[in-house]
């Protein structure tokens, strides 16, 4: 069929003007810009979220948590160990104090037991406040002749556990205590012309012609006392030096360990043995609690001993004039010098001991008395 020539031609859409094109382009750009801003906002939020996750992920890391757990466990274990150590130390301290109290009342005499308990308080060997208060109340209210007193169970040996004293010959020649031991000997006290001595003690030279020993080594009941100082050389040969009596100074502490008073005897010895054997320097200071010590001593016989490297040979308590130590000594060793571990100075004069501790008079309580009588003779040398 042919088209009708009279029909109107198809309508042609209007062509948009330039303004309309510009406005549509602006609208498109605005939508594009808005989409870009939204994309950037989403990207920023995603970045912030990842940043927060990254910050928290370290705290949540299994490795980090394991490290923190191990650290906390170590701290907890350390605290527990420290607490247990402190409790164990306190328990040992209480047991030691109780042992000292029991030793002090093993006298068979209530009055002597009370004196010994008073010494414990004065010397600071009891530190538990409740025990101190009870002891003070007991001693204040006690009537003479009353109170606890255990029977004496054996001699006070002054050896605590394994005997750590060794023969002086077994100490290395260069050891300073061995060198100082040349000035240490035995003080023998006789009654008149008796062959057997009434008293055997250790003693040591503090000047060319002066020696120090324990105060009670000179028995006060001897009618005609006679004394000599015996030195033994490296070949085991003995040389005897007469001692001048009465003593220049004699301070006795009876009964032993009942008070914090000095106990020693200062004696003049003839022949000035210190000129050849040397003499020892008395410290002018107090020993420190825990300070390592050494001892050179004689016991009942002729053998000389030394305690030089024992871990428990230390000062455990220091009083005004006396101090407590843990060095092995033994019968006959009263009057022995107690050295600083390096052997350079004498810190004390051993008096005696129980099964738990030894007692010594501080050297600085003796030094001033020695200076009053030191002769200063030429040739004497200090060790």
């Amino acid at each position: 069929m042919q088209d009708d020539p009279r029909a109107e031609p198809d309508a042609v859409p209007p062509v948009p003007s330039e303004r309309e094109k510009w406005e549509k382009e602006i609208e498109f750009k605005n939508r594009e810009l808005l989409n870009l801003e939204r994309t950037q906002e989403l990207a920023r939020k995603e970045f912030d979220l990842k940043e927060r996750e990254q910050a928290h992920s370290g705290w949540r890391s299994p490795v980090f948590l394991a490290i923190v757990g191990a650290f906390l466990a170590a701290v907890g274990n350390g605290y527990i160990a420290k607490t247990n150590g402190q409790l164990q130390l306190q328990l040992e301290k209480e047991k030691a104090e109780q042992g000292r109290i029991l030793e002090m009342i093993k006298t068979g005499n209530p009055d002597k037991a009370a004196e010994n308990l008073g010494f414990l308080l004065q010397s600071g060997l009891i530190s538990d406040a409740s025990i101190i208060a009870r002891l003070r109340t007991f001693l204040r209210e006690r009537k003479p002749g009353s109170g606890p007193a255990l029977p004496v169970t054996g001699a006070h040996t002054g050896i605590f556990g394994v005997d750590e004293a060794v023969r002086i010959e077994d100490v290395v020649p260069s050891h300073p205590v061995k060198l100082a031991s040349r000035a240490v000997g035995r003080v023998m006290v006789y009654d008149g012309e008796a062959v057997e001595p009434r008293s055997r003690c250790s003693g040591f030279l503090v000047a060319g012609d002066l020696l120090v020993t324990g105060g009670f080594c000179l028995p006060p009941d001897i009618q005609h006392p006679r004394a000599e100082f015996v030195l033994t050389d490296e070949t085991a040969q003995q040389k005897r030096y007469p001692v001048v009596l009465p003593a220049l100074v004699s301070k006795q502490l009876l009964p032993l360990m009942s008070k914090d008073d000095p106990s020693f005897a200062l004696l003049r010895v003839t022949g000035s043995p210190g000129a050849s054997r040397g003499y020892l320097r008395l410290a002018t200071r107090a020993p420190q609690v825990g300070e390592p010590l050494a001892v050179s001593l004689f016991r009942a016989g002729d053998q000389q001993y030394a305690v030089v490297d024992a871990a428990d040979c230390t000062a455990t308590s220091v009083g005004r004039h006396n101090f407590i130590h843990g060095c092995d000594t033994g019968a006959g060793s009263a009057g022995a010098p107690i050295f600083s571990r390096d052997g350079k100075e004498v810190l004390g004069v051993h008096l005696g001991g129980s099964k738990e501790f030894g007692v010594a008079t501080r050297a600085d309580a003796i030094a001033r008395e020695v200076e009053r009588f030191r002769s200063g003779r030429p040739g004497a040398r200090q060790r």
Side-chain angles (χ1 to χ4, degrees):
M1 177 177 181
Q2 295 183 346
D3 293 337
D4 187 355
R6 292 175 299 178
E8 294 183 1
D10 293 338
V12 178
V15 177
S17 66
E18 291 295 325
R19 179 178 181 83
E20 290 174 339
K21 290 181 181 180
W22 180 78
E23 288 178 350
K24 287 185 179 295
E25 186 176 351
I26 290 297
E27 182 180 355
F28 175 78
K29 294 291 185 181
N30 286 338
R31 285 199 302 270
E32 192 177 55
L33 181 61
L34 180 61
N35 289 334
L36 180 60
E37 289 177 350
R38 288 176 179 175
T39 301
Q40 290 178 341
E41 179 67 18
L42 288 175
R44 184 184 63 79
K45 290 181 178 180
E46 184 178 359
F47 177 80
D48 291 342
L49 179 60
K50 289 183 178 180
E51 190 177 47
R52 287 196 297 270
E53 289 178 351
Q54 184 68 25
H56 291 294
S57 64
W59 294 94
R60 298 168 184 168
S61 168
V63 175
F64 177 79
L65 293 177
I67 294 174
V68 171
F71 174 76
L72 293 176
V75 171
N77 291 337
Y79 175 77
I80 293 173
K82 180 179 179 181
T83 302
N84 288 340
Q86 290 174 340
L87 292 175
Q88 183 65 29
L89 183 62
Q90 181 64 28
L91 179 60
E92 293 296 330
K93 188 176 181 181
E94 291 175 357
K95 288 172 62 178
E97 292 184 354
Q98 293 168 2
R100 289 173 188 142
I101 292 174
L102 289 176
E103 286 295 325
M104 285 301 185
I105 65 176
K106 290 180 181 179
T107 62
N109 184 311
D111 293 330
K112 288 184 178 180
E115 289 182 354
N116 290 346
L117 292 175
F119 168 76
L120 285 182
L121 292 176
Q122 292 178 3
S123 62
L125 281 171
I126 303 297
S127 59
D128 188 288
S130 62
I131 297 178
I132 291 174
R134 290 198 297 270
L135 281 178
R136 285 176 175 169
T137 300
F138 163 74
L139 294 175
R140 183 174 62 252
E141 298 177 354
R142 187 190 73 90
K143 295 180 181 180
S146 66
L150 297 176
V152 179
T153 57
H156 288 175
T157 64
I159 298 174
F160 322 117
V162 178
D163 187 359
E164 295 177 296
V166 297
R167 299 189 313 166
I168 196 68
E169 294 88 349
D170 296 331
V171 181
V172 295
S174 61
H175 198 290
V177 173
K178 183 167 185 175
L179 298 176
S181 295
R182 286 175 48 80
V184 181
R186 290 181 297 153
V187 179
M188 317 288 280
V189 181
Y190 302 85
D191 191 348
E193 298 303 317
V195 176
E196 288 296 320
R198 275 282 304 276
S199 171
R200 290 184 178 91
C201 285
S202 298
F204 58 97
L205 294 165
V206 292
D209 60 350
L210 296 178
L211 70 89
V212 168
T213 188
F216 52 87
C217 293
L218 304 177
D221 59 336
I222 295 182
Q223 298 297 319
H224 304 287
R226 175 174 61 89
E228 59 185 9
F229 185 54
V230 184
L231 288 168
T232 305
D233 62 20
E234 291 78 0
T235 63
Q237 296 296 313
Q238 295 182 353
K239 189 166 184 180
R240 298 173 180 268
Y241 297 86
V243 173
V244 179
L245 294 177
L248 298 173
V249 180
S250 180
K251 295 186 178 182
Q252 299 192 10
L253 180 61
L254 296 173
L256 176 63
M257 298 183 294
S258 63
K259 297 178 181 178
D260 186 16
D261 292 333
S263 178
F264 68 95
L266 177 62
L267 302 161
R268 182 85 67 185
V269 57
T270 63
S272 194
S276 59
R277 301 294 291 256
Y279 58 90
L280 305 180
R281 182 168 70 90
L282 295 172
T284 56
R285 65 176 180 89
Q288 302 297 310
V289 173
E291 179 173 1
L293 305 173
V295 188
S296 178
L297 58 100
F298 285 86
R299 290 173 175 169
D302 299 337
Q303 178 63 54
Q304 189 172 6
Y305 297 88
V307 180
V308 292
D309 295 312
D312 55 353
C313 185
T314 62
T316 57
S317 177
V318 179
R320 182 182 177 189
H321 294 113
N322 297 332
F323 65 91
I324 307 300
H325 65 84
C327 308
D328 291 323
T329 50
S333 60
I338 298 182
F339 298 96
S340 55
R341 183 62 61 87
D342 60 11
K344 292 183 178 180
E345 57 184 355
V346 176
L347 293 174
V349 180
H350 175 64
L351 302 183
S354 69
K355 293 180 179 179
E356 303 238 343
F357 57 87
V359 181
T361 287
R362 286 168 42 174
D364 58 339
I366 305 172
R368 288 185 295 272
E369 296 286 353
V370 172
E371 288 303 317
R372 290 175 51 206
F373 296 97
R374 191 186 296 273
S375 64
R377 293 181 181 178
R381 65 184 186 278
Q382 191 169 339
R383 290 195 178 275

